[in-house]
Amino acid sequence: TEDELKSALETGGFRMEKINDFTHLERKERPSVWSWMQKPRSAWAHYVLGISKGKQGHWIVIRGVKLCDTFTDGRWVFVSDGPHKGVKIECIFTVRRS
């Protein structure tokens, strides 16, 4: 959950801030990871995206043009080669050191 993620990040000395929430939109109207990647954003910031993966939620981290999550075994891979580029986004957070 969002609260569990926030707590885990705080334990590591980080804070997260929600910058977008698409949960009010129908799933098909939400942006995909790939369409969001085409929009301007900081290449140096770390973003945590809450995505819909099947019937469950999932978290991914994006920095620049790479993503990292459990589906990539914790390795950074290019979003274009990653497993989630067509998945719909529920919410987006920035993560920074506290």
Side-chain angles (χ1 to χ4, degrees):
T1 66
E2 182 179 327
D3 290 335
E4 292 171 328
L5 179 60
K6 183 177 181 179
S7 178
L9 287 168
E10 286 173 352
T11 300
F14 295 90
R15 62 182 168 81
M16 66 183 221
E17 178 183 336
K18 188 179 282 188
I19 59 170
N20 288 102
D21 188 341
F22 303 106
T23 55
H24 64 283
L25 299 173
E26 292 289 326
R27 187 172 174 165
K28 63 184 176 185
E29 294 175 3
R30 296 175 187 168
S32 67
V33 172
W34 186 250
S35 66
W36 177 77
M37 291 291 296
Q38 308 309 308
K39 303 209 182 304
R41 61 193 155 62
S42 173
W44 295 277
H46 285 82
Y47 297 94
V48 174
L49 279 61
I51 60 173
S52 301
K53 187 73 177 160
K55 293 185 178 187
Q56 297 183 346
H58 184 68
W59 300 103
I60 61 174
V61 178
I62 293 183
R63 181 171 189 250
V65 295
K66 292 191 171 186
L67 74 83
C68 180
D69 76 338
T70 56
F71 284 81
T72 64
D73 294 323
R75 290 178 287 115
W76 288 96
V77 299
F78 289 104
V79 172
S80 59
D81 299 329
H84 306 300
K85 60 184 168 236
V87 176
K88 299 297 186 172
I89 300 172
E90 293 182 2
C91 54
I92 303 172
F93 298 86
T94 57
V95 177
R96 294 184 174 90
R97 285 219 177 265
S98 294

